[in-house]
Amino acid sequence: MVAPTAGPYTEWGTIGDQLSELLKLPVLVENDAAAAALGEFWSRRVSREQSFGCVYLSTGIGAGMVFGGALFRGASFDAGELGHLSIAYDGRPCPCGNQGCVERYASMTASVDTARAHPALAARLRLDGSVSSAYDTLARAAVSGDPDAFGVIEDAAGYLSVAVTSMVNLLDLGRIVLTGPGVAVAGSIYARRLRSHLARTAHARSRHEVQVELSAQPRNAAGIGAAALVVQASIAPGHTPGMR
């Protein structure tokens, strides 16, 4: 049984223990972005020698990194908080305590907030309801040629590109997959902007290309990764800590 979730690892153990007790089955608990990364790594048959990253765009922004065929989880299982990489040291305050976090500029939530603050756009698209439904409406308008909607998504893609470039430069990644519900409709806008930005700014661009790809199933990527996590736990248990 797999329960992908978000939040600090100190809470994961409690969730995993409780589910395992209720279900009388082993339970694995994993962050959605990390699970998505593992699923993309397996389904794409990425070489173990390749440094691989996955960017998960949703109401927040996360990332998963796979090195040597295993997820990199960090000292407290909190690696991959790409959304809290600052792109403006004196920028918008973030609940995490930092300022200028890219999540405050490029997440689905941030894009919807920006669109709702645009009176004509908000009135034209009727961006009420949940963040997810409003964002899908905005994304469909962007890819259908609405210039204001496109501007909001294009700006978000630009902000995300800055953060992803820092991640690529720090870890020398060779391949990035964009996934999550935020790229289900307007993924082409994000991918095009990120490819262009990395081609100009990636530190290792003269030595190797950084491939940027879109997930085939961005809305289901975390669930697919959760299934892959179960398989990995069976065939390579040393790479899958956290079994409850």
Side-chain angles (χ1 to χ4, degrees):
M1 178 70 186
V2 178
T5 187
Y9 183 65
T10 52
E11 297 177 2
W12 294 7
T14 301
I15 293 170
D17 290 340
Q18 290 175 349
L19 283 173
S20 184
E21 178 64 25
L22 286 170
L23 298 171
K24 308 302 180 186
L25 291 169
V27 171
L28 288 167
V29 184
E30 188 56 86
N31 175 276
D32 52 4
L38 188 65
E40 294 289 347
F41 176 82
W42 277 55
S43 62
R44 292 171 184 274
R45 300 181 181 179
V46 178
S47 167
R48 288 177 180 269
E49 284 70 47
Q50 188 171 37
S51 298
F52 173 76
C54 184
V55 175
Y56 192 87
L57 181 61
S58 184
T59 51
I61 299 174
M65 288 81 69
V66 181
F67 304 112
L71 276 170
F72 176 73
R73 291 183 168 86
S76 60
F77 283 59
D78 205 28
E81 287 294 339
L82 176 66
H84 297 290
L85 191 157
S86 178
I87 58 172
Y89 75 91
D90 58 349
R92 299 170 186 172
C94 181
C96 77
N98 201 358
Q99 286 185 254
C101 292
V102 68
E103 192 166 287
R104 302 291 293 147
Y105 299 84
S107 66
M108 289 168 54
T109 304
S111 293
V112 169
D113 287 345
T114 299
R116 284 174 172 168
H118 190 301
L121 181 61
R124 186 164 68 253
L125 298 183
R126 301 180 63 181
L127 299 173
D128 49 7
S130 69
V131 168
S132 295
S133 63
Y135 180 84
D136 279 353
T137 299
L138 177 67
R140 283 194 294 270
V143 298
S144 297
D146 185 299
D148 295 327
F150 179 83
V152 171
I153 299 297
E154 176 74 3
D155 285 349
Y159 291 128
L160 184 63
S161 296
V162 173
V164 172
T165 298
S166 293
M167 183 177 79
V168 166
N169 287 347
L170 180 65
L171 301 172
D172 193 20
L173 299 176
R175 192 171 183 179
I176 293 284
V177 172
L178 299 176
T179 190
V183 298
V185 177
S188 60
I189 298 174
Y190 290 92
R192 182 172 60 250
R193 185 62 181 267
L194 185 52
R195 289 179 187 127
S196 173
H197 195 83
L198 285 169
R200 291 186 292 104
T201 62
H203 189 264
R205 64 188 182 278
S206 62
R207 294 187 292 278
H208 66 82
E209 177 189 9
V210 181
Q211 295 175 269
V212 178
E213 302 166 354
L214 282 171
S215 173
Q217 299 189 62
R219 295 191 194 275
N220 300 319
I224 294 169
L229 196 67
V230 174
V231 175
Q232 180 173 275
S234 300
I235 64 175
H239 283 175
T240 313
M243 176 72 81
R244 303 288 166 187

